Amino acid sequence: MDLDSLRINGARLQHTLEEMAKIGATPAGGVQRLACSDEDKRARDLLVSWLREIDCEVTIDTMGNIFGRYAGTDPSLPPVMSGSHVDSQPKGGRFDGILGVMGPLEVLRTLHENGVRPKRSVVLVDWTNEEGSRFAPAMVASGVWAGKLDLQWAYDRTDIHGKKQGDELERIGYKGSAPCEAFPVHAYYELHIEQGPMLEAKGMIIGAPKGVLCLHWYDIHLEGTANQVGPTPMEGRNDALVAAAEMIIKVDQLPAAMGGNMVATVGEIHNYPNSRNIIPDGVHFTIDIRSWDDDHALAAFDKLRPQMLEIAQRHGTPIRIEETWKVVKAPFDQDLFERVYATGVKLGYPTMKWVSGAGHDASYMNQVMPSAMIFVPSIGGRSHVEVEETRWEDCEAGANVLLHCLLENANEI
Ligand code: HGY
Ligand code: MN
Ligand code: MN
């Protein structure tokens, strides 16, 4: 068969994305499928049923990663792999992660219905808890698989209700038996929405990111003195929330102070006891610093730390700093990166090279095997929001590029 003319079924891809969007659907048109939640389970169950329909061998590992293997003609050769995540942010979008699982599913369906059996097997993967929103950190299961994070440490991560990730994985029936450890993979591709404005702004349909920024996460805990807001004079208060507010402004000012391509964000904050007529005596907030240069990101926190210590001292609110998680920047495999770009051009899609500011499981895959990503535009550059949107024809384009990149690597020795 003329493989060059092979294309995926865009309508069927749209249907799978629409079916998945019904799981955890929110009233404003987004999804909530938090890691290891009942909604995550329902999405996983649907994915497994679809994989079995096309005779894929399904394996679940001890971190709940789901692998669907579409057999090639030579089982002795390391497979090619593609995947992403079905979990979402609390008020997430209908494309983040799930496109990178439905895309390879559509590729496998296309191979299966056309009787195409490449030399190498093609493995689809759904990585557990890519978002790191319910259980920090992000990309935790691909991190364990890549040998960069400890399994028990990952199991012990707790959500704000004190539930453990390992227990929740067991509860939803996805704490598998296969070891969560890397096996030889010839090439890994991840299809994902850009989650930024650039492709749309440049009129592009396919993005070939050269890599992913480093991600450094910190957790800051402040201890104040609670009291009745009325009789307590302003002088001498130990107000943990005011101290936190000063620190949060410093975080926001950090990238400008450091220069270079950096972002710094406080995205999560918990205030205790969080009553309008009690001076806060406890605050926990998170810091996310990203840069194309790990040392640049580390230098940024070295600049921020003394500023926070001074603010804590001045307010009499002792501070505890947790260096929660770091994943180094991921410069992708040059050959695969160039293949993504060349395939986009060959298939006739406006294509550009770019970089990923969002973290992805490919960040860890990149540390243990040749990896690259395929981006498609986010309308308005929006993501991690319920209005997240990508054109169906762009999803189809991305899956076609994925099909041909995987086939080329799957048929090379
Ligand atoms: O944090 C990220 O960029 C990804 O959504 N985990
Ligand atoms: Mn994602
Ligand atoms: Mn995300």
Side-chain angles (χ1 to χ4, degrees):
M1 129 172 261
D2 166 26
L3 292 182
D4 284 347
S5 62
L6 203 57
R7 295 291 182 272
I8 62 106
N9 180 329
R12 186 171 56 194
L13 172 59
Q14 177 178 338
H15 175 71
T16 56
L17 287 164
E18 287 172 334
E19 286 304 299
M20 280 291 184
K22 292 174 186 171
I23 301 176
T26 60
V31 295
Q32 177 169 114
R33 269 197 309 267
L34 294 179
C36 307
S37 64
D38 293 342
E39 293 77 18
D40 186 13
K41 173 179 174 47
R42 284 172 44 211
R44 288 161 170 269
D45 292 347
L46 182 56
L47 170 64
V48 168
S49 71
W50 282 340
L51 286 168
R52 290 197 165 123
E53 280 174 3
I54 51 174
D55 310 319
C56 284
E57 175 200 354
V58 176
T59 306
I60 318 286
D61 74 14
T62 50
M63 265 309 291
N65 297 314
I66 299 170
F67 299 92
R69 180 183 288 261
Y70 178 82
T73 55
D74 185 346
S76 71
L77 293 172
V80 296
M81 184 151 84
S82 179
S84 194
H85 58 96
V86 306
D87 70 297
S88 81
Q89 286 286 330
K91 288 191 178 303
R94 296 175 298 125
F95 296 86
D96 175 3
I98 194 66
L99 174 61
V101 182
M102 295 299 100
L105 174 71
E106 178 50 38
V107 165
L108 297 184
R109 284 176 161 179
T110 301
L111 299 180
H112 184 260
E113 71 187 355
N114 288 283
V116 175
R117 288 278 170 193
K119 291 188 184 71
R120 297 173 183 273
S121 298
V122 184
V123 175
L124 174 152
V125 57
D126 163 38
W127 298 110
T128 298
N129 186 21
E130 186 281 339
E131 292 293 0
S133 176
R134 179 184 179 193
F135 302 102
M139 297 106 83
V140 65
S142 53
V144 173
W145 190 85
K148 307 299 178 187
L149 297 175
D150 174 71
L151 177 67
Q152 192 55 50
W153 178 83
Y155 280 166
D156 292 339
R157 307 299 291 167
T158 58
D159 66 11
I160 55 172
H161 305 296
K163 291 190 177 173
K164 287 190 173 182
Q165 184 158 226
D167 297 341
E168 282 293 280
L169 207 44
E170 182 123 48
R171 183 184 66 81
I172 67 169
Y174 278 91
K175 195 176 196 178
S177 54
C180 183
E181 53 194 34
F183 49 78
V185 171
H186 183 61
Y188 174 82
Y189 289 100
E190 184 162 354
L191 171 61
H192 208 284
I193 54 174
E194 179 202 352
Q195 300 182 288
M198 204 49 71
L199 292 182
E200 183 185 56
K202 301 281 188 187
M204 296 292 155
I205 291 179
I206 298 295
K210 69 176 182 178
V212 180
L213 302 187
C214 72
L215 286 79
H216 295 184
W217 281 11
Y218 303 87
D219 284 77
I220 310 300
H221 303 268
L222 298 175
E223 188 186 334
T225 307
N227 215 330
Q228 224 278 14
V229 298
T232 308
M234 294 307 287
E235 198 60 36
R237 286 185 177 195
N238 307 124
D239 187 326
L241 192 53
V242 170
E246 277 197 49
M247 293 178 192
I248 292 167
I249 297 297
K250 293 293 182 194
V251 173
D252 184 56
Q253 292 168 344
L254 196 55
M258 290 299 296
N261 170 21
M262 174 181 286
V263 291
T265 314
V266 172
E268 182 179 347
I269 185 166
H270 304 278
N271 177 52
Y272 306 96
N274 211 35
S275 165
R276 69 185 65 210
N277 46 9
I278 301 177
I279 299 167
D281 67 349
V283 170
H284 164 215
F285 67 87
T286 62
I287 299 174
D288 173 312
I289 298 176
R290 304 188 187 195
S291 167
W292 183 246
D293 177 338
D294 285 84
D295 293 336
H296 187 225
L298 291 171
F301 196 75
D302 286 345
K303 181 183 185 64
L304 179 66
R305 186 195 300 269
Q307 294 173 336
M308 295 197 293
L309 294 178
E310 186 280 324
I311 293 166
Q313 200 273 327
R314 183 158 33 87
H315 284 274
T317 52
I319 184 172
R320 179 165 61 85
I321 296 173
E322 275 178 57
E323 303 202 9
T324 307
W325 173 64
K326 291 187 178 69
V327 60
V328 295
K329 82 171 183 205
F332 290 142
D333 177 273
Q334 193 62 24
D335 292 341
L336 300 194
F337 160 64
E338 293 295 353
R339 173 162 286 158
V340 169
Y341 179 78
T343 304
V345 170
K346 184 175 71 176
L347 296 184
Y349 302 124
T351 302
M352 68 178 263
K353 295 181 176 179
W354 190 225
V355 64
S356 177
H360 299 287
D361 293 302
S363 298
Y364 278 120
M365 292 303 102
N366 183 65
Q367 296 182 34
V368 291
M369 71 188 69
S371 301
M373 292 190 75
I374 302 161
F375 273 179
V376 290
S378 293
I379 295 173
R382 302 295 305 281
S383 182
H384 280 191
V385 289
E386 293 166 293
V387 296
E388 180 182 278
E389 190 76 38
T390 292
R391 296 185 322 153
W392 296 119
E393 52 269 42
D394 294 351
C395 294
E396 179 175 358
N400 275 322
V401 171
L402 178 65
L403 167 70
H404 287 281
C405 287
L406 284 170
L407 269 179
E408 285 184 23
N409 284 109
N411 278 322
E412 67 187 8
I413 296 297

